[in-house]
Amino acid sequence: MDSEDFSPQTQAQLAAQLRLLSNRVDELEHQLAQLRAAGPLPIAEPAATSVPPPPPPPRPETVQPVPPDAVAPIPPPPSLNTLSPAPQPSLESRLGAQIFNRIGIVALLFAATLGLKLAIDNQWIGPVGRILIGLIAGAGIVVWSERFRRKGFSAFSYSLKAVGSGVLYLALWAAFQLYHLLPPSAALFGMILVTAWNAYMAWAQDAELLAAYAVAGGFATPLLLSTGGNHEVFLFTYLLAIDIAIAMLVRVKPWERLLLMAFPGTVLFFIGWYWSHYHEPAFAVTTLFIALFFLTFVSISVKAVTPDAPTPKARRFGSHIRNILLPLGNAAFVSLALYSVMQDSDRHWFLPWLMLILAAAYLLITRLPQSAVAAALHLSLAVVFLTIAIPLKASGHWITVAWLVEGVALLWVATRLQSPAHASSGRVLQWLSAGSFVLGLGGLIASPYWFGGGASLSFFNHNLATALIAVAAFVAAAWMSLRVSASSQDPFQTWQRFALASYVAIGGIAILLSLREVVTHAAYVLLPAFANADFGMALLAIAILGALAWASLRIARGNEASHLWPQLAAGSIIIINLVAVLTGVREISALWPSTAANPDLELQRALAVSAFLMIYGAALLAIGFWRRTAFIRWQALVLLVFTIGKTFLYDMRNLSQGYRFASFLALGVILMAISFAYQKDWLGLREPAKPAPDSEGGAR
């Protein structure tokens, strides 16, 4: 076998093995020389039962090389990334461990209530005994739950604590309301003791669920002990103590979800009390408590700033509650509560100053240490209150303006939160901004002015001013959205869609401005032609739509991937032509306000309208030729065809010979000019003729 019969890889392996064996032989010869120099070794006599020596090892040349393909590769050690994840609980286990657990808590509370009622109905035990049994049973369940917690069944232990706490509350309530065995102060002290015990256990065991039980019990206590009387100072002091305790707890524990119970509970208690008991002499006390509630919840958002870092989903949700939802809800509560108090106390004159005070308060709050999201949101709220500080009694349109300005402020904050650490907060604010814009647009549309609610002699009125502010707000929203979209990847086209929606809203406002002109009859019934506010607003609508179409086309050139911008531009152009045509028809008709008794006047108005439509169609066709766009030319042709049909079928029926001659002459000149332009193909609109194939299949 020649060396050429082996592959280069096999030859390299054989050479390596040969070197290894040579080195081994050299080492053995060196050891043998050392043994000979030391002298002969004693030879022991072999025993009779000695084992024969083993056969000599094979010679090196008899060792066969192992092909590389026959050697099994050693598998690499398992990577930590390939280890199977921890098993997730199945739907069945979640159903049994969580859903059934909660249902069981409710069932046991109902059972305790029914058992108490059964004992009452059958007179099994006296009132004192019933209350003692309830208190002992509730306390025993709470103590018994600790045994399960020490054995590792924390969730079941918390469930038992909820049942036990509920039994204690029911027993104290029965002792006060049903049997009158306890005075109000004693029942209140007992319920506060149960709530404090739950709060202590929540702190000691680091259990948010127990803290939620404590909050629920704390807010249930006034309801259980209510007698229907007016106890404003006691009620609000009690609620304020709970809110302060929760604020302190949230500052040291990541339990922001407790705020979803504390803040709505406080607001609902205030609304219920205000609806039933508020009167003017309580103005000072009520205002003081509103301010204290406001400062308590503001303190939750104001805290030391921590460095930005990726946080789990639960912590992000808590951050949204602390930095977004709570400040917005708190601002709405303090403004509406103080507004209602001053309205019902005949202090209307102070409302603008109230908004200025709130704006100044939020400007001061922005100077305190807080997160970037909270600081930006507090600044936007200051802007909103400054906006609505203008005398609120002047016009109800200021509410609409406030929504629009708030939408702009919230969107500005969202554009400042585009870093990965604040991306989720930015999305939340973006949705909140969209809600504010929708409310503002809805308030603008809800005005009956646009649908013929009386004639307007003044062009500059509150409705027009509100509409222009809305246009400016949506322009600002579109500009900010396009800037963010251009400076970031915007993979889901969220900001592009927000900008597109803002442009659509601008178009809707322009249509709203033209409604009085194109829908109502005020233009030619009550007001002079071409000199009324409705005509001016229609011209303004056309200008806004024109700017919208121009901006949409510019954006479409830089964003060829989206087909929505060209469609928006096309729709704007169509609406421009419709508004212009209808406006011209309305104003020309207003030159003949009453034609029912005079057929000649009716004929003159019809011919004047037809002449306007024909001239407008010709001008539109000229623009289509100039801009080389078939889209505009087709609109012109449709308008011209309609006008021709109107002229022959309606206008000519009562014309005298002179009018018919003039009408036909004008119509013929315009149509001949149009046909001549098409026949001469001045703009090269015809497609080049294809060469005819010769007999052999080629072009001639």
Side-chain angles (χ1 to χ4, degrees):
M1 182 180 294
D2 298 331
S3 61
E4 288 79 8
D5 298 334
F6 295 95
S7 63
Q9 186 177 5
T10 304
Q11 293 178 9
Q13 291 180 351
L14 290 175
Q17 291 179 3
L18 182 59
R19 287 194 299 270
L20 180 63
L21 292 174
S22 299
N23 294 335
R24 186 67 181 272
V25 170
D26 293 340
E27 183 180 359
L28 291 175
E29 288 179 352
H30 179 67
Q31 293 178 359
L32 182 60
Q34 290 179 348
L35 291 175
R36 285 177 179 176
L41 295 174
I43 300 175
E45 291 292 333
T49 59
S50 64
V51 180
R59 297 176 62 85
E61 56 268 15
T62 62
V63 178
Q64 299 294 330
V66 181
D69 297 337
V71 180
I74 300 175
S79 174
L80 294 178
N81 296 328
T82 61
L83 295 178
S84 59
Q88 297 294 328
S90 62
L91 176 62
E92 180 182 356
S93 64
R94 291 198 301 269
L95 184 66
Q98 300 176 13
I99 305 301
F100 287 175
N101 179 270
R102 289 164 174 76
I103 297 175
I105 293 174
V106 177
L108 288 176
L109 290 176
F110 271 109
T113 305
L114 293 176
L116 184 63
K117 185 178 184 302
L118 185 64
I120 294 171
D121 294 340
N122 292 282
Q123 299 294 324
W124 289 342
I125 52 177
V128 178
R130 301 166 193 167
I131 300 304
L132 290 177
I133 289 175
L135 294 175
I136 294 172
I141 293 174
V142 172
V143 174
W144 186 42
S145 67
E146 283 298 297
R147 181 174 180 177
F148 290 95
R149 187 185 65 84
R150 287 193 294 268
K151 291 184 177 181
F153 301 100
S154 298
F156 188 71
S157 171
Y158 298 154
S159 304
L160 290 178
K161 284 185 175 66
V163 174
S165 300
V167 172
L168 289 173
Y169 281 115
L170 287 174
L172 292 170
W173 168 78
F176 169 70
Q177 290 282 13
L178 295 180
Y179 304 116
H180 307 290
L181 298 176
L182 293 177
S185 58
L188 176 64
F189 177 77
M191 291 186 180
I192 292 177
L193 191 63
V194 175
T195 302
W197 173 255
N198 281 331
Y200 168 74
M201 295 298 293
W203 177 271
Q205 300 177 12
D206 196 19
E208 184 181 6
L209 187 59
L210 290 181
Y213 294 158
V215 174
F219 278 96
T221 297
L223 294 177
L224 296 175
L225 300 180
S226 175
T227 59
N230 181 11
H231 306 286
E232 178 187 8
V233 176
F234 175 79
L235 174 64
F236 288 164
T237 302
Y238 175 81
L239 294 176
L240 186 63
I242 293 179
D243 292 337
I244 292 175
I246 294 174
M248 296 174 62
L249 183 63
V250 170
R251 291 181 69 87
V252 296
K253 294 283 188 181
W255 294 350
E256 287 86 356
R257 286 181 292 185
L258 297 179
L259 299 172
L260 297 178
M261 303 172 62
F263 181 76
T266 302
V267 173
L268 290 176
F269 267 109
F270 178 83
I271 293 174
W273 173 86
Y274 190 88
W275 186 267
S276 303
H277 302 292
Y278 178 75
H279 54 282
E280 198 278 335
F283 170 78
V285 176
T286 305
T287 303
L288 175 62
F289 275 110
I290 293 173
L292 292 176
F293 285 130
F294 168 71
L295 294 176
T296 300
F297 289 114
V298 162
S299 67
I300 297 174
S301 300
V302 177
K303 61 178 295 185
V305 181
T306 56
D308 296 334
T311 55
K313 184 176 181 180
R315 295 294 299 120
R316 290 198 300 270
F317 179 65
S319 177
H320 295 339
I321 296 174
R322 178 197 296 268
N323 298 323
I324 297 177
L325 298 180
L326 182 62
L328 289 175
N330 197 22
F333 166 70
V334 69
S335 59
L336 293 177
L338 292 176
Y339 179 88
S340 301
V341 168
M342 291 182 181
Q343 282 283 88
D344 294 340
S345 302
D346 294 329
R347 291 176 170 85
H348 314 281
W349 59 271
F350 194 73
L351 291 176
W353 297 103
L354 169 65
M355 297 302 148
L356 288 176
I357 292 173
L358 291 176
Y362 273 104
L363 288 175
L364 291 176
I365 292 171
T366 57
R367 308 298 300 173
L368 299 175
Q370 56 197 292
S371 67
V373 179
L377 187 57
H378 288 148
L379 179 60
S380 67
L381 289 172
V383 173
V384 172
F385 285 121
L386 282 174
T387 303
I388 60 178
I390 302 170
L392 298 175
K393 297 286 291 182
S395 172
H397 296 291
W398 289 112
I399 299 176
T400 301
V401 173
W403 283 118
L404 294 170
V405 174
E406 183 175 2
V408 174
L410 291 175
L411 190 66
W412 175 80
V413 177
T415 60
R416 310 293 294 181
L417 300 174
Q418 293 306 303
S419 62
H422 298 137
S424 58
S425 300
R427 285 193 294 270
V428 172
L429 286 174
Q430 190 180 24
W431 280 104
L432 292 173
S433 171
S436 296
F437 277 121
V438 170
L439 290 173
L441 187 61
L444 181 66
I445 296 174
S447 174
Y449 171 80
W450 310 110
F451 306 96
S456 176
L457 300 177
S458 174
F459 176 73
F460 298 101
N461 54 73
H462 293 300
N463 298 280
L464 177 62
T466 306
L468 293 179
I469 292 173
V471 170
F474 282 107
V475 167
W479 177 74
M480 289 187 290
S481 301
L482 290 173
R483 286 198 61 182
V484 174
S485 178
S487 61
S488 63
Q489 297 298 325
D490 198 13
F492 302 106
Q493 299 292 314
T494 305
W495 290 101
Q496 279 278 340
R497 294 172 184 172
F498 205 99
L500 183 66
S502 301
Y503 273 3
V504 171
I506 294 172
I509 296 172
I511 295 174
L512 201 64
L513 288 171
S514 65
L515 280 181
R516 288 181 58 88
E517 176 69 21
V518 302
V519 175
T520 67
H521 297 273
Y524 63 90
V525 173
L526 301 175
L527 302 175
F530 298 104
N532 56 80
D534 296 344
F535 176 68
M537 286 192 295
L539 294 181
L540 182 60
I542 292 174
I544 294 173
L545 289 169
L548 181 63
W550 173 80
S552 301
L553 288 175
R554 283 183 59 88
I555 297 172
R557 294 191 187 101
N559 186 15
E560 298 179 356
S562 177
H563 62 282
L564 296 176
W565 292 106
Q567 292 180 0
L568 179 61
S572 301
I573 293 173
I574 292 175
I575 297 174
I576 287 173
N577 291 325
L578 287 175
V579 171
V581 167
L582 293 175
T583 299
V585 170
R586 289 292 189 192
E587 296 301 326
I588 291 173
S589 300
L591 296 174
W592 293 268
S594 178
T595 60
N598 193 336
D600 291 337
L601 294 178
E602 174 67 23
L603 183 59
Q604 293 175 13
R605 184 171 72 179
L607 289 176
V609 169
S610 297
F612 164 73
L613 295 178
M614 187 66 67
I615 295 173
Y616 188 87
L620 199 63
L621 189 63
I623 295 174
F625 280 119
W626 172 48
R627 301 300 300 175
R628 302 180 63 87
T629 168
F631 176 71
I632 296 179
R633 292 196 302 270
W634 272 106
Q635 296 180 63
L637 291 175
V638 169
L639 181 60
L640 290 173
V641 170
F642 170 79
T643 306
I644 293 171
K646 175 181 178 297
T647 302
F648 280 101
L649 299 178
Y650 180 78
D651 297 344
M652 299 297 181
R653 69 189 191 282
N654 294 322
L655 280 180
S656 63
Q657 187 174 3
Y659 278 118
R660 289 182 181 180
F661 169 75
S663 300
F664 277 110
L665 180 62
L667 180 63
V669 170
I670 293 175
L671 293 180
M672 289 299 294
I674 294 172
S675 65
F676 183 76
Y678 273 100
Q679 291 176 12
K680 296 294 291 183
D681 194 21
W682 285 338
L683 300 179
L685 300 177
R686 298 176 186 170
E687 296 183 358
K690 297 181 179 179
D694 55 15
S695 58
E696 297 180 358
R700 291 185 293 180

